[in-house]
Amino acid sequence: MADRRVHVGLIGLGRMGRFHAENLAGRIPSTELVRVVDADEGVARAFSERTSGTDWSTSYGDLLDDPGIEAVVIVTPTPYHADMIEAAAAAGKHVFCEKPISLDLERTRRATEAARTAGVKLQVGFHRRFDPDYRIARRKMAAGEVGSPYLFRTSSRDPRPPGFDFLEHSGGLFADFSLHDLDLARWLVGEIEEVTVVGAALSDPKFGELGELDNAVLALRFTCGALGVLDNSRVSGYGYECSSEIVGSLATLRVGSQEQIGPEVLTPGRSCRGFLSKDTERWAAAYAGEMEAFVLAVNSNQEPEVGGADDEAALALARAADRSYREGRTVRLEPEGQVGRNAR
Ligand SMILES: NC(=O)c1ccc[n+]([C@@H]2O[C@H](COP(=O)([O-])OP(=O)(O)OC[C@H]3O[C@@H](n4cnc5c(N)ncnc54)[C@H](O)[C@@H]3O)[C@@H](O)[C@H]2O)c1
């Protein structure tokens, strides 16, 4: 049963959806991509033609009505996620949904609960948990090889912003961008009880006009006592980077050398190497890995490694970060049961 091919439908063939669809259509042997849906007919038709005949449509109802489809991958803009999760759960389909489920904590909770009540799997797109290097780091943490964690650092940088039309509906830097770092911090080190943020809009006046930030630094205090620092930039210019360090009492882990690509070229007094420009290059293995893990969870009837409760926890932290930035103060999260807790 565990290596049976899972029949999947995908909704949303934009920047991220195309990448997932290509993985599902070709790179992951345990799936069959049966149907793709995009509100833009030309986009759906073009993908179908490129993949020699995957069924396509412009309405996700078609996908939910298809009894041959067991699982749905949702990669539409964030405002659609929660409704689509609930509709898929009601139709008895397992769900992989891109992050975040919603920008609203209560809505996130309800969609997660709908999947649980319907008895379908719900995995959320925190792909970094499936990156080979970060997985090794996590295993070493769990095995006690780092000892007591003292300091966690992650630098996440995009070379340029995704476009102001996207930013307008993205939910802001913390819910859209820092969310991945906050999830990584929880997953590697543990729960976070305090967030202090400084942020700025430096590269283009349009960021300020939208009430958006292009750079931020988040200082964290973990429940275990460790400290954390996340630096985020949407405008690094030089390339895409996500690097981390965990400094502990026994060892320090560094993850991140994969941003450098190609051979190092040495000329008199100079050394030069290529650097990644896109997140999809950096995370190719992680994006494939998260889809393989989702299909495995479906096939083996196990809970996905990362689900709605993790999304809710990361969103609560993103909300706390936003409040810290806007109110210019440290925000503490209520201690017990990270999920659903409030910031004060
Ligand atoms: N995990 C990651 O690394 C990562 C990276 C980028 C984006 N994302 C997430 O993925 C989601 C999509 O982001 P994107 O950058 O691909 O967006 P996008 O705007 O590039 O693409 C969205 C696509 O959905 C289609 N669409 C919109 N409404 C639809 C509907 N009702 N039914 C069917 N199709 C519809 C659009 O036509 C478009 O093709 C967002 O939630 C974002 O947060 C995650």
Side-chain angles (χ1 to χ4, degrees):
M1 219 30 201
D3 51 7
R4 190 179 56 87
R5 275 155 70 99
V6 173
H7 290 195
V8 178
L10 179 139
I11 318 172
L13 285 165
R15 196 180 77 85
M16 197 62 235
R18 272 196 300 275
F19 202 82
H20 284 316
E22 273 154 23
N23 272 343
L24 290 165
R27 295 182 201 127
I28 300 174
S30 47
T31 59
E32 186 165 335
L33 183 61
V34 177
R35 184 184 284 268
V36 290
V37 177
D38 197 285
D40 183 328
E41 178 178 332
V43 167
R45 187 195 296 273
F47 183 85
S48 167
E49 284 166 6
R50 264 208 324 282
T51 51
S52 31
T54 308
D55 283 345
W56 65 272
S57 83
T58 54
S59 161
Y60 75 95
D62 297 342
L63 191 155
L64 301 183
D65 290 342
D66 183 341
I69 291 177
E70 297 155 80
V72 176
V73 173
I74 299 170
V75 207
T76 47
T78 300
Y80 295 101
H81 292 178
D83 286 349
M84 287 180 172
I85 290 172
E86 287 171 358
K93 317 282 187 204
H94 303 290
V95 181
F96 175 98
C97 183
E98 259 308 337
K99 47 56 65 177
I101 289 175
S102 165
L103 298 174
D104 179 77
L105 278 170
E106 179 51 34
R107 194 73 194 86
T108 302
R109 222 167 279 147
R110 287 213 313 273
T112 303
E113 184 55 23
R116 201 191 60 76
T117 310
V120 299
K121 314 291 176 209
L122 171 62
Q123 183 170 324
V124 180
F126 285 122
H127 60 276
R128 292 184 191 173
R129 294 184 181 219
F130 300 89
D131 174 73
D133 283 358
Y134 276 112
R135 283 178 93 74
I136 293 170
R138 158 100 171 170
R139 274 203 295 278
K140 287 187 178 300
M141 290 291 289
E145 291 177 38
V146 177
S148 304
Y150 294 153
L151 192 62
F152 173 77
R153 174 197 63 80
T154 289
S155 301
S156 284
R157 300 175 194 160
D158 263 344
R160 65 196 70 81
F164 287 101
D165 47 344
F166 175 89
L167 287 179
E168 232 175 321
H169 307 287
S170 70
L173 184 78
F174 305 116
D176 176 52
F177 191 96
S178 317
L179 197 75
H180 282 296
D181 299 320
L182 293 163
D183 178 65
L184 196 62
R186 283 186 68 239
W187 182 62
L188 286 172
V189 181
E191 296 302 352
I192 294 160
E193 62 180 31
E194 208 177 275
V195 183
T196 313
V197 172
V198 288
L202 302 170
S203 65
D204 187 323
K206 277 197 206 148
F207 276 100
E209 285 160 25
L210 287 176
E212 261 285 352
L213 304 174
D214 55 10
N215 289 276
V217 178
L218 289 72
L220 313 173
R221 190 187 299 276
F222 292 88
T223 306
C224 67
L227 302 180
V229 59
L230 312 177
D231 73 78
N232 291 170
S233 179
R234 286 202 188 270
V235 288
S236 68
Y238 64 87
Y240 177 80
E241 175 167 357
C242 176
S243 59
S244 300
E245 278 178 304
I246 306 166
V247 179
S249 56
L250 299 178
T252 291
L253 302 178
R254 282 193 180 157
V255 180
S257 59
Q258 287 176 11
E259 279 86 11
Q260 298 202 342
I261 49 170
E264 188 176 5
V265 178
L266 304 172
T267 50
R270 188 171 283 270
S271 142
C272 186
R273 256 183 118 164
F275 207 90
L276 291 182
S277 58
K278 286 198 236 159
D279 55 351
T280 44
E281 291 170 332
R282 168 66 180 88
W283 302 115
Y287 288 134
E290 67 179 344
M291 231 27 105
E292 278 165 1
F294 172 59
V295 169
L296 183 65
V298 168
N299 259 341
S300 56
N301 193 23
Q302 281 173 2
E303 268 317 292
E305 282 185 42
V306 53
D310 295 300
D311 184 72
E312 188 185 330
L315 185 67
L317 289 164
R319 290 265 155 272
D322 190 62
R323 185 183 292 183
S324 170
Y325 165 69
R326 287 185 198 289
E327 297 179 6
R329 65 177 179 93
T330 295
V331 171
R332 286 187 60 77
L333 287 108
E334 285 170 9
E336 271 318 296
Q338 161 85 0
V339 173
R341 69 192 184 157
N342 296 314
R344 60 191 147 85

